[in-house]
């Protein structure tokens, strides 16, 4: 398995994978397939930009030239929030589940967050009841810190979202922040 950051040339495959994800798992993702299918390819290309300082990056796991899974990471831009990154859009194709693909992607996302100056924690939300994803995140070092009730509306009701965070090493984030916040 090869894990690497997606680049604009990967946008069509990334788009197809995520449209399947939204359709298969309406409880796990906030976007609907219709909302995302309506976006131009340029939107997906922008999401997988390879600019080094981009606010978002997406990691992809490849097995035999197939994009088996993806995980996104977004970075805060405002000075007071720059110590936080957010993991989003985690998905592994059904045929490749329980093979360690998800674990490799989370590990790669945490590595990418560590590589960004001043980032000290990664946060995410996961739907209550999504045991596979919650177990995956817990094994990677994420801990829950709250539950948002009625977070997303799905067919038949509402789903709550569990908020989780992973401490990378907050002390590393502090000095740069204190300097950048000085008057
Ligand atoms: C959640 C998901 C990404 C896991 O990917 P995966 O590649 O199957 O995960 P891995 O094989 O790397 O498993 C790593 C760990 O996750 C947990 N896990 C994975 N699948 C699990 C399952 N079905 N039940 C319970 N735990 C599970 C386990 O802790 C596992 O550790 P183990 O190998 O010691 O059992 C995948 O099931 C998926 O894409 N689900 C649909 C979309 C989704 O829910 N995304 C998350 C949105 S927040």
């Amino acid at each position: 398995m090869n894990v690497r950051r997606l680049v604009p040339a990967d946008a069509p495959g990334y788009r197809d994978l995520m449209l399947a994800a939204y359709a298969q798992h309406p409880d796990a993702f906030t976007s609907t397939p219709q909302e995302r299918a309506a976006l131009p390819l340029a939107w997906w290309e922008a999401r997988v930009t390879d600019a080094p300082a981009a606010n978002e990056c997406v990691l992809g796991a490849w097995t035999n030239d197939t994009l088996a899974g993806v995980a996104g990471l977004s970075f805060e831009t405002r000075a007071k929030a720059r110590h936080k990154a957010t993991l989003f859009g985690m998905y592994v194709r059904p045929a490749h589940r329980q093979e360690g693909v998800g674990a490799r992607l989370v590990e790669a996302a945490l590595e990418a967050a560590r590589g960004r100056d001043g980032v000290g924690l990664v946060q995410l939300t996961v739907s209550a009841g999504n045991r596979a994803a919650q177990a995956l995140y817990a094994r990677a070092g994420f801990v829950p810190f709250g539950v948002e009730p009625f977070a997303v509306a799905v067919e038949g009701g509402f789903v709550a979202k569990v908020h989780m965070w992973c401490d990378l090493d907050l002390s590393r984030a502090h000095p740069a922040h204190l300097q950048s916040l000085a008057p």
Side-chain angles (χ1 to χ4, degrees), residues 33-156:
Q34 294 80 4
E35 284 164 352
R36 287 289 159 96
L39 296 170
L41 186 61
W43 184 88
W44 299 89
E45 287 169 340
R47 177 156 263 194
V48 293
T49 172
D50 46 6
N55 294 334
E56 291 181 333
C57 71
V58 179
L59 288 316
W62 302 80
T63 57
N64 303 325
D65 291 338
T66 298
L67 184 55
V70 291
L73 197 59
S74 74
F75 299 99
E76 296 282 346
T77 52
R78 290 173 297 175
K80 290 179 182 174
R82 241 184 267 145
H83 58 293
K84 297 186 284 190
T86 303
L87 186 74
F88 69 88
M90 172 92 216
Y91 176 71
V92 174
R93 278 186 205 279
H96 290 281
R97 289 189 191 156
Q98 307 251 24
E99 293 175 359
V101 176
R104 281 285 302 278
L105 284 165
V106 174
E107 190 187 307
L110 292 177
E111 204 48 47
R114 279 192 196 94
R116 186 64 77 110
D117 247 10
V119 172
L121 69 88
V122 178
Q123 57 191 11
L124 60 83
T125 63
V126 51
S127 296
N130 187 344
R131 286 185 41 236
Q134 275 180 262
L136 165 63
Y137 299 138
R139 277 186 62 106
F142 284 82
V143 291
F145 65 89
V147 178
E148 179 188 357
F150 304 99
V152 286
V154 296
E155 204 179 309

